Amino acid sequence: MNLFSSVHDIDSIQNMVTEALALKANPFAHQSVGKNKTLGLVFLNPSLRTRLSTQKAAANLGMQVLVMNMDKDGWALETQDGIVMNGTSVEHIREAAAVMGQYCDVLGLRSFPKLQNREEDYSEDLFNKFVQFCGVPVISLESATRHPLQSLADIITIKEHQKTSKPKVVLTWAPHVKALPQAVPNSFSEWMAKAQEEGLIDFVITHPEGYELAEEFTKGVRITHQQEEALAGADFVYVKNWSSYQDYGKVLPVNEEWMLTQKSLAIAPNAKVMHCLPVRRDLELAAELLDSNRSLVIAEAGNRVWAAQAVLKRILSA
Ligand code: CP
């Protein structure tokens, strides 16, 4: 594996989950794989989980880690070609990525969308140019449209906690005061659609009208605007806000109550609750659920280590 940017970069979800759980059971069994290798983590946006879990995963494999907070500590980046750099940008991605590739054997990049121009964000121009010019394998630490390490950790968590052979997994939209990217729900949908194809789960998405995700991420997935209908009999409920894809980057008015509570989840008495974090309590998700034994959010964040370690091990073993 030379690139991990989406579910399309892996063969089978089941194999990846099995590999990750084997690493969880025996974290230091492959320390020689990363010996004398360097991982560079490049952040253009804030991160708690991705930063720490990926560093820990690399350390478990014997790697050295360099972290670059490009947004705060790096030169302002230019990504467009063919322009005279007489504005505020100081360094072109062509040189910046290539230089980082000189110092690292593997690179990870986090870059959020601007949510101003859909075409620009969904072209993944910055991420693709970074891959093109760095010259070493790249892991997405969340891009404009996807967050694959999060989705892998999510399916690991579902497989660990499932009580039935084919659990019902629901992705439900949640309210928020800010416009958030579609990267996590896009990616979650893409991974769950593949897991459904592999016969591992049943998957349903529910959201208010106007919050339809791009079709490329929801192929073969049942979608309903009726949250109660979607939640009925659910085994896992994945809570996430996202801004509109159609009316790009907008927070649309929603009249009904969409925040998941003990009351709204009564229709799914066995359901566990998931969220990628960070979460805004009692806005996106009721604190009563977060603080209950129905919440898997901490286990899910913990599994980010094994997701990252499984991906790094594959890249280093290629
Ligand atoms: N879930 C997630 O990616 O968290 P961070 O943004 O803190 O890395």
Side-chain angles (χ1 to χ4, degrees), residues 8 25 32 74 171 173 239 271 284 295 299 302 305:
H8 306 301
S32 59
L171 167 61
W173 182 89
V239 178
E284 283 179 86
S295 171
V305 175

Side-chain angles (χ1 to χ4, degrees), residues 46-50 110 142 147 150 276-278 304:
S47 165
L48 187 162
R49 281 142 289 270
T50 307
R110 165 166 285 198
E142 187 171 348
H147 195 354
Q150 179 65 53
C276 63
L277 304 180
R304 291 291 305 273

Side-chain angles (χ1 to χ4, degrees), residues 60-304:
N60 288 350
L61 291 170
M63 298 185 86
Q64 297 172 25
V65 184
L66 303 176
V67 179
M68 180 73 195
N69 297 313
M70 201 75 189
D71 54 336
K72 297 182 188 73
D73 303 329
W75 300 109
L77 274 185
E78 180 59 63
T79 57
Q80 283 188 48
D81 283 322
I83 63 155
V84 177
M85 286 173 57
N86 59 0
T88 52
S89 301
V90 177
E91 179 155 37
H92 203 279
I93 185 99
R94 284 175 176 261
E95 286 81 42
V99 167
M100 289 188 268
Q102 296 288 305
Y103 307 144
C104 301
D105 300 283
V106 183
L107 280 163
L109 176 67
R110 165 166 285 198
S111 64
F112 285 170
K114 295 193 184 94
L115 293 176
Q116 305 290 319
N117 180 324
R118 186 169 90 179
E119 201 179 325
E120 187 183 312
D121 288 343
Y122 274 69
S123 76
E124 292 282 12
D125 183 55
L126 191 146
F127 185 83
N128 291 336
K129 282 188 171 140
F130 187 82
V131 171
Q132 183 184 354
F133 298 121
C134 74
V136 297
V138 175
I139 298 174
S140 167
L141 305 174
E142 187 171 348
S143 69
T145 64
R146 289 180 170 97
H147 195 354
L149 283 176
Q150 179 65 53
S151 307
L152 176 54
D154 297 335
I155 188 70
I156 292 167
T157 309
I158 289 169
K159 294 302 290 174
E160 260 189 325
H161 290 87
Q162 70 182 58
K163 298 274 192 292
T164 60
S165 60
K166 203 173 178 188
K168 179 177 178 182
V169 179
V170 178
L171 167 61
T172 183
W173 182 89
H176 207 288
V177 287
K178 280 183 67 183
L180 298 192
Q182 295 105 30
V184 168
N186 281 346
S187 209
F188 187 76
S189 177
E190 192 170 59
W191 281 72
M192 294 307 125
K194 184 167 167 64
Q196 186 167 255
E197 265 173 40
E198 291 184 21
L200 303 176
I201 61 160
D202 280 323
F203 182 46
V204 183
I205 299 177
T206 184
H207 57 69
E209 287 187 38
Y211 281 98
E212 287 74 17
L213 295 168
E215 280 178 21
E216 64 179 294
F217 300 101
T218 59
K219 281 196 194 91
V221 175
R222 192 160 74 79
I223 300 167
T224 171
H225 297 137
Q226 308 304 319
Q227 190 191 45
E228 190 177 341
E229 176 203 322
L231 293 177
D235 296 294
F236 297 92
V237 181
Y238 198 91
V239 178
K240 185 72 186 88
N241 168 267
W242 62 90
S243 59
S244 176
Y245 172 75
Q246 275 78 19
D247 196 354
Y248 192 63
K250 297 284 187 308
V251 177
L252 309 176
V254 173
N255 295 326
E256 314 87 55
E257 180 55 73
W258 275 81
M259 185 181 76
L260 201 69
T261 60
Q262 289 279 21
K263 191 172 167 214
S264 61
L265 203 55
I267 198 160
N270 298 321
K272 296 288 188 186
V273 177
M274 302 176 71
H275 190 288
C276 63
L277 304 180
V279 64
R280 291 197 183 210
R281 289 172 160 252
D282 287 328
L283 173 69
E284 283 179 86
L285 181 52
E288 64 191 14
L289 281 173
L290 279 164
D291 296 334
S292 77
N293 61 8
R294 304 186 77 170
S295 171
L296 292 179
V297 299
I298 304 302
E300 202 180 339
N303 281 333
R304 291 291 305 273

Side-chain angles (χ1 to χ4, degrees), residues 33-50:
V33 174
K35 190 166 185 288
N36 299 332
K37 302 281 185 191
T38 301
L39 172 68
L41 299 177
V42 182
F43 289 91
L44 279 86
N45 302 95
S47 165
L48 187 162
R49 281 142 289 270
T50 307

Side-chain angles (χ1 to χ4, degrees), residues 11-27:
D11 52 355
S12 121
I13 287 186
Q14 181 62 67
N15 289 351
M16 205 72 195
V17 171
T18 302
E19 208 165 320
L21 290 175
L23 290 166
K24 184 170 184 172
N26 207 349

